[in-house]
Amino acid sequence: MEALRQLPSVEHVLHDAACAALIDELGQAGAADLVRRALDARRAALLDGADAAADREAETAIVVATARALDAQPLRTVINATGVIVHTNLGRSPLAPEAVEAITTSAGGYADLELDLATGQRGSRQSHLGPLIARLTGAESGMAVNNAAGALVLTLAALARGREVIVSRGQMIEIGDGFRLPTIMEQAGARLVEVGATNRTRLDDYAAAIGPDTALILRAHPSNFRVVGFTEEVATADLARLGREHGVPVVDDIGSGLLSPDPDLPGEPDARGSVGDGADVVLFSGDKLLGGPQAGLIAGRADLVHTIGRHPLARALRIDRLSLAALQATLRLHGDPARARTAVPVRRLISMPLADVRRRAEELAAATGGEVVESAARIGGGALPTIDLPSAACALPDQDGALHEALRTGTPAILGRLEDGQLLLDCRTLLADADVATVAARVNACR
Ligand SMILES: *Cc1c(COP(=O)(O)O)cnc(C)c1O
């Protein structure tokens, strides 16, 4: 095929000046491997009908660029001007300085992760978290694994394998990216028993479904959607009473990780409330409203938490040392709710007064010639989809999205929202006031 004739050899590409930086970074062998993969990809693209480059040199440039793109990219800092506070694609929660320090302190050395220094005996990594989770939620016992979806799988596997779990049809959630409750249930080896209708489920529906094979009643908070209108769900307290009558534990997956009711987040379920309502096991994320590292927290009855912790999957899902250090530091900040609102970044952004957000937008608009517009920020991460947080953005004309692309691909990367030919830079999600100057400088350099 004619187009393939222009393709350079591996050697030719490696000797090209543009490849020098790649060789510098990866060594001769590493660069050669990437160039080979890039050539394969380019050959496949040409056979697939891609336009051939004008000559061999242009073809070589394409191969070098492809090789670069094929290399593993380091994580890059992103300034979040999207208005979505817990942005899963941006790593969810920025950590509090205290959590970062806890990671730094324990990262570079050894630590008493699974050793009781007082006795010299083997200890449990959960001893660094359990008492704190129990105290903050009011539960008898607590533990953590590496994410909340894992906490759910583990809980189901440990408490319901081969048996039935009752779930309301109104709570048949997809957690994200195709992970649906029925699939998770199947993987955990539990049998799903759906009750009620999508919009209404009553206590009687649950009661009628309880049988000798019932292992659990599961409540899953529909955190990424709302059923509105003619709706009814059974309160946790009523479910817990029903469960107790029949000796069936109630597991409450509240998702977002609020520890206690928060005036900024009305209607969001909280772990302390759920434990108080009688849920036997409560599950939640470490990196949504808790504002910590990725983790799945489990709070509940001591016997059940013990059984969950002894399941073989607990080992596969165990929380790593660095996340454990960050989670403990974050939980300590939550010991004082008022302190958490200022010290935990996602909570600070949620509760930041609109006047402060607007001041940032005005400063940014003044520095860039933009216009201050009202905006609606979101909590994100699946939490509270129906709540808009009043916010302010700097709007800049960007008909073709070129400015947004330049900001997104530069350093530091800046992510905003394109709406109706305008680039909106939402100022509620800027982590610090100082980010305003950084964003302004980059905007001005891009135009
Ligand atoms: C987000 C969420 C999960 C999954 O949590 P991850 O931290 O993403 O693993 C599970 N259940 C509910 C209700 C959630 O909102």
Side-chain angles (χ1 to χ4, degrees):
M1 194 181 161
E2 188 59 32
L4 293 181
R5 265 207 218 124
Q6 303 275 19
L7 264 189
S9 66
V10 175
E11 281 311 306
H12 183 94
V13 179
L14 286 172
H15 282 103
D16 192 274
C19 214
L22 204 62
I23 295 170
D24 238 24
E25 236 173 78
L26 306 175
Q28 192 73 28
D33 179 67
L34 268 191
V35 168
R36 223 168 273 123
R37 290 167 195 264
L39 276 166
D40 288 347
R42 182 63 186 153
R43 193 174 296 111
L46 289 170
L47 288 173
D48 215 34
D51 289 334
D55 53 29
R56 174 151 307 180
E57 288 328 295
E59 203 58 79
T60 301
I62 292 175
V63 172
V64 172
T66 308
R68 281 222 150 275
L70 284 175
D71 192 15
Q73 304 299 317
L75 283 175
R76 293 173 53 193
T77 301
V78 178
I79 292 183
N80 179 6
T82 63
V84 179
I85 292 172
V86 180
H87 198 304
T88 298
N89 300 147
L90 295 183
R92 287 200 182 157
S93 300
L95 297 178
E98 289 83 350
V100 174
E101 196 189 321
I103 291 178
T104 313
T105 305
S106 65
Y110 298 105
D112 62 341
L113 183 66
E114 293 185 348
L115 188 80
D116 182 346
L117 287 175
T119 62
Q121 302 295 305
R122 189 185 166 138
S124 159
R125 67 181 62 210
Q126 298 299 341
S127 70
H128 302 283
L129 293 169
L132 197 48
I133 295 170
R135 193 164 75 239
L136 289 170
T137 60
E140 283 176 10
S141 184
M143 61 175 282
V145 292
N146 68 13
N147 68 45
L152 179 58
V153 173
L154 176 61
T155 299
L156 292 171
L159 303 182
R161 182 173 290 284
R163 299 182 63 208
E164 292 176 353
V165 178
I166 305 175
V167 186
S168 160
R169 287 202 171 83
Q171 298 171 6
M172 213 50 70
I173 57 172
E174 174 171 313
I175 290 171
D177 208 15
F179 292 93
R180 295 181 174 157
L181 199 51
T183 322
I184 286 172
M185 198 78 80
E186 195 181 307
Q187 288 304 314
R191 284 202 305 284
L192 175 63
V193 176
E194 299 179 45
V195 297
T198 306
N199 58 334
R200 305 195 84 176
T201 303
R202 301 185 186 82
L203 193 61
D204 285 351
D205 297 320
Y206 285 96
I210 294 179
D213 253 8
T214 307
L216 298 173
I217 295 172
L218 173 66
R219 234 183 97 89
H221 180 55
S223 34
N224 48 11
F225 70 99
R226 283 284 180 281
V227 181
V228 295
F230 187 56
T231 66
E232 186 173 341
E233 281 290 355
V234 182
T236 306
D238 295 328
L239 275 188
R241 206 170 306 118
L242 179 73
R244 268 197 304 280
E245 278 167 23
H246 292 85
V248 175
V250 171
V251 173
D252 193 8
D253 177 4
I254 63 167
S256 295
L258 201 55
L259 285 171
S260 48
D262 188 309
D264 293 327
L265 304 165
E268 181 66 18
D270 66 282
R272 185 166 268 283
S274 179
V275 169
D277 281 344
D280 299 279
V281 177
V282 181
L283 310 175
F284 52 101
S285 288
D287 57 357
K288 292 181 181 170
L289 293 174
L290 200 65
Q294 179 188 302
L297 286 80
I298 303 173
R301 255 168 56 190
D303 59 326
L304 299 178
V305 173
H306 180 77
T307 303
I308 294 167
R310 299 302 308 159
H311 190 276
L313 264 182
R315 161 86 190 183
L317 293 167
R318 70 185 174 169
I319 186 166
D320 74 280
R321 168 163 70 122
L322 304 186
S323 300
L324 183 150
L327 181 58
Q328 199 204 54
T330 306
L331 286 169
R332 285 201 185 286
L333 293 173
H334 281 282
D336 175 356
R339 182 168 181 216
R341 261 200 289 284
T342 56
V344 176
V346 298
R347 302 302 284 277
R348 186 174 66 237
L349 297 182
I350 289 170
S351 58
M352 184 166 33
L354 178 58
D356 293 356
V357 181
R358 197 173 285 133
R359 201 169 310 121
R360 288 173 163 191
E362 280 161 5
E363 200 183 310
L364 185 54
T368 59
E371 184 194 347
V372 178
V373 296
E374 279 185 18
S375 170
R378 288 277 162 109
I379 297 193
L384 285 167
T386 48
I387 283 203
D388 280 344
L389 297 169
S391 189
C394 169
L396 295 157
D398 192 16
Q399 204 57 50
D400 55 0
L403 176 59
H404 194 209
E405 184 180 338
L407 290 173
R408 198 183 63 233
T409 52
T411 305
I414 298 168
L415 205 64
R417 276 197 328 262
L418 272 178
E419 269 175 28
D420 305 325
Q422 286 195 311
L423 175 61
L424 301 187
L425 299 169
D426 194 304
C427 289
R428 184 174 285 282
T429 44
L430 299 181
L431 267 181
D433 288 341
D435 286 345
V436 172
T438 311
V439 173
R442 286 240 30 236
V443 167
N444 291 331
C446 285
R447 292 193 303 182

